[in-house]
């Protein structure tokens, strides 16, 4: 591969009380099942993706790997950064995905890359988690 892309995001930790096999967790109960948040990157092989995309559609090159941070930030630790969610969903989520107590987090995110010939990393992306879209 000569061209690799990535998408920075977040993932909510899958550590929690769990549920019985086959039983869905309803949105109004989701917070009781989330321990914390991790940073997450999806990696894609751009040079392969260009080849396979037309006419067949994206396959494994679109996301050949996902990495998460080695730490989990608990929901309690995130609570000072919690903001009311400003609903701007277009399209609207399906009814079973609508949150009654909707919120977001004010967390600055940035990505630095340091190539093998670079003396120091360069920031290539800046955002805030409050702009993330479901």
């Amino acid at each position: 591969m000569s061209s690799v892309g990535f998408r920075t995001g977040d993932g909510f930790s899958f550590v929690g009380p769990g549920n019985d096999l086959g039983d869905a967790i309803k949105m109004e109960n989701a917070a009781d099942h989330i321990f914390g948040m991790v940073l997450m990157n999806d990696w894609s092989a751009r040079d392969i993706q260009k080849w396979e995309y037309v006419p067949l559609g994206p396959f494994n090159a679109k996301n050949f790997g996902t990495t998460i941070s080695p730490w989990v930030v608990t929901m309690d630790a995130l609570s000072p950064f919690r903001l009311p969610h400003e609903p701007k969903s277009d399209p609207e989520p399906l009814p079973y995905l609508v949150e009654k107590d909707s919120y977001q987090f004010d967390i600055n995110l940035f990505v630095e890359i340091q190539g093998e010939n670079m003396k120091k990393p360069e920031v290539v992306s800046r955002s805030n988690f409050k702009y993330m879209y479901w």
Side-chain angles (χ1 to χ4, degrees), residues 46-59 61-62:
R46 296 290 186 190
D47 48 349
I48 298 171
Q49 187 178 353
K50 290 177 194 173
W51 173 83
E52 72 179 18
Y53 195 76
V54 178
L56 304 173
F59 294 114
K62 178 63 181 156

Side-chain angles (χ1 to χ4, degrees), residues 1-133:
M1 276 180 293
S2 61
S3 179
V4 175
F6 64 90
R7 183 179 67 201
T8 299
D10 66 295
F12 286 93
S13 177
F14 38 83
V15 178
N19 56 310
D20 292 332
L21 183 63
D23 287 348
I25 298 171
K26 296 182 180 187
M27 285 301 295
E28 59 263 22
N29 301 327
D32 297 332
H33 294 264
I34 298 173
F35 176 71
M37 192 181 348
V38 296
L39 292 178
M40 182 179 78
N41 288 320
D42 282 334
W43 301 91
S44 55
R46 296 290 186 190
D47 48 349
I48 298 171
Q49 187 178 353
K50 290 177 194 173
W51 173 83
E52 72 179 18
Y53 195 76
V54 178
L56 304 173
F59 294 114
N60 285 337
K62 178 63 181 156
N63 179 10
F64 69 81
T66 300
T67 55
I68 64 171
S69 59
W71 62 87
V72 177
V73 180
T74 65
M75 298 307 286
D76 288 341
L78 290 168
S79 65
F81 303 97
R82 192 170 154 159
L83 300 172
H85 185 252
E86 297 175 19
K88 50 185 173 244
S89 296
D90 183 22
E92 287 290 321
L94 295 173
Y96 75 95
L97 294 173
V98 173
E99 297 176 77
K100 307 262 187 291
D101 181 28
S102 187
Y103 56 90
Q104 57 199 19
F105 295 102
D106 184 11
I107 303 170
N108 290 319
L109 301 169
F110 66 94
V111 176
E112 289 182 333
I113 293 179
Q114 182 173 0
E116 60 184 295
N117 296 323
M118 297 172 67
K119 294 183 187 211
K120 63 178 188 162
E122 291 289 329
V123 175
V124 296
S125 176
R126 289 184 194 276
S127 188
N128 190 296
F129 182 73
K130 66 184 175 186
Y131 303 121
M132 294 288 183
Y133 185 66

